[in-house]
Amino acid sequence: MSDFHHTPEAEAAAPHAAGTSLRHVRAKGEPRFPDGPKADPAGSHFERRIRSFQPRRSRVTTGQADALQRLWPAWGLDIDGQRLIDLAELFGNDHPVVLEIGFGMGEATARMAAADPGTNILAVDVHTPGQGNLLGLAEREGLSNIRVGNGDAIILLREMLAPDSLAGLRVYFPDPWPKKRHHKRRLIQPEFLSLAAARLAPGAVVHCATDWEPYAEQMLDVLTAHPGFENTVPGGGFAPRPEHRPLTRFEGQGLEKGHVVNDLLFRRVPHKELPPTG
């Protein structure tokens, strides 16, 4: 299970992944990657809330560590909540920006970036091996339209992005938190959608996908009920998987086993008064 989502791509981050694991005995207080992502970029600046993700430890291969050290200063973003981001400055152009929350090991993100070079992707996760893997993929494939965010996407949306600054939001295979007592941890909730709506330009599309059917039904219910969004599917319901969302090998294996994957595509409607973001 990845930090933001449980997409099976995260299996590639397991200790048996290809590549030599980085082994270094650090002194007390020494950062894991001096020039890479911070362990807790927001620190204690913001209140602790119920989080929709659960950080986990995984070994970082030498290739991933090298990418983090070399590429993070140019292509990485620590989500500290201390400043408003100029997205045009971050990417070096004024192309539309899509926020992706949770990307596993980044293979699907890289494929989407390669297929649509005119769209910038700000991909956020807290899984260090995945961050390094995506940076490495971006470098090898010459994908200048990817930036990797490290930290809590809620803080990013609330504190660091301007209103109407996003052209889209992607949440693929978020952690379903299947136990009833954990449902409050699910990301797609009315309060989150109000926050996202405040940062999405009119016409921007929220695209969610999950293979957990009860969560898919909840997503459909809360998105349908929210005044800031409208279903792109005539008559409502789930959408066919759009071509721009790659079908990964792991998803294909799940489909062969009878798993049902549901996509939801909702459009940000023209501005109106929205519920408070909390």
Side-chain angles (χ1 to χ4, degrees):
M1 183 175 297
S2 88
D3 308 281
F4 279 103
H5 54 203
H6 75 130
T7 172
E9 289 179 321
E11 294 177 11
H16 59 268
T20 305
S21 295
L22 178 69
R23 292 185 179 275
H24 170 63
V25 178
R26 288 175 286 129
K28 185 176 180 180
E30 179 186 351
R32 190 178 186 190
F33 301 101
D35 296 319
K38 293 182 174 62
D40 186 10
S44 59
H45 299 298
F46 300 95
E47 75 281 1
R48 293 296 177 182
R49 60 178 179 81
I50 297 174
R51 289 185 172 175
S52 60
F53 60 92
Q54 184 173 4
R56 62 188 177 83
R57 293 183 179 275
S58 298
R59 291 182 180 179
V60 178
T61 68
T62 53
Q64 293 161 359
D66 175 67
L68 287 166
Q69 285 287 102
R70 291 188 301 102
L71 303 175
W72 189 261
W75 292 350
L77 171 70
D78 277 311
I79 299 171
D80 57 12
Q82 299 300 299
R83 65 197 188 283
L84 195 67
I85 299 170
D86 184 329
L87 291 173
E89 180 180 346
L90 179 68
F91 284 92
N93 59 58
D94 59 359
H95 295 167
V97 177
V98 170
L99 173 64
E100 182 178 1
I101 300 178
F103 56 79
M105 295 304 289
E107 289 93 345
T109 304
R111 289 166 63 183
M112 289 186 290
D116 186 9
T119 295
N120 294 326
I121 300 176
L122 176 53
V124 175
D125 211 312
V126 293
H127 187 229
T128 310
Q131 293 168 351
N133 200 63
L134 180 54
L135 287 170
L137 287 171
E139 181 183 49
R140 289 193 297 274
E141 299 177 21
L143 304 174
S144 61
N145 57 333
I146 290 177
R147 296 294 181 271
V148 179
N150 168 53
D152 192 334
I154 299 296
I155 293 176
L156 174 70
L157 283 164
R158 192 180 65 203
E159 308 290 343
M160 301 180 71
L161 293 176
D164 298 354
S165 58
L166 295 174
L169 172 64
R170 296 168 180 166
V171 184
Y172 297 155
F173 303 98
D175 193 321
W177 296 102
K179 295 180 180 179
K180 187 174 182 179
R181 69 177 183 271
H182 291 156
H183 286 184
K184 60 188 176 182
R185 296 182 178 274
R186 289 176 171 175
L187 180 63
I188 306 302
Q189 307 275 6
E191 297 81 5
F192 170 77
L193 292 176
S194 292
L195 176 59
R199 303 295 178 257
L200 290 164
V205 171
V206 172
H207 182 190
C208 302
T210 180
D211 60 352
W212 193 263
E213 291 187 80
Y215 194 12
E217 294 290 346
Q218 178 191 325
M219 289 181 181
L220 183 61
D221 288 344
V222 297
L223 278 162
T224 300
H226 198 283
F229 299 96
E230 63 182 6
N231 201 332
T232 63
V233 176
F238 298 111
R241 179 181 65 85
E243 291 185 1
H244 70 256
R245 183 176 76 76
L247 179 65
T248 67
R249 176 170 59 90
F250 298 102
E251 184 181 350
Q253 291 172 348
L255 292 172
E256 290 175 357
K257 296 176 182 177
H259 297 180
V260 175
V261 176
N262 287 300
D263 284 78
L264 303 95
L265 288 100
F266 277 71
R267 183 181 296 108
R268 175 72 167 97
V269 300
H271 291 305
K272 61 179 71 172
E273 186 174 349
L274 296 174
T277 60

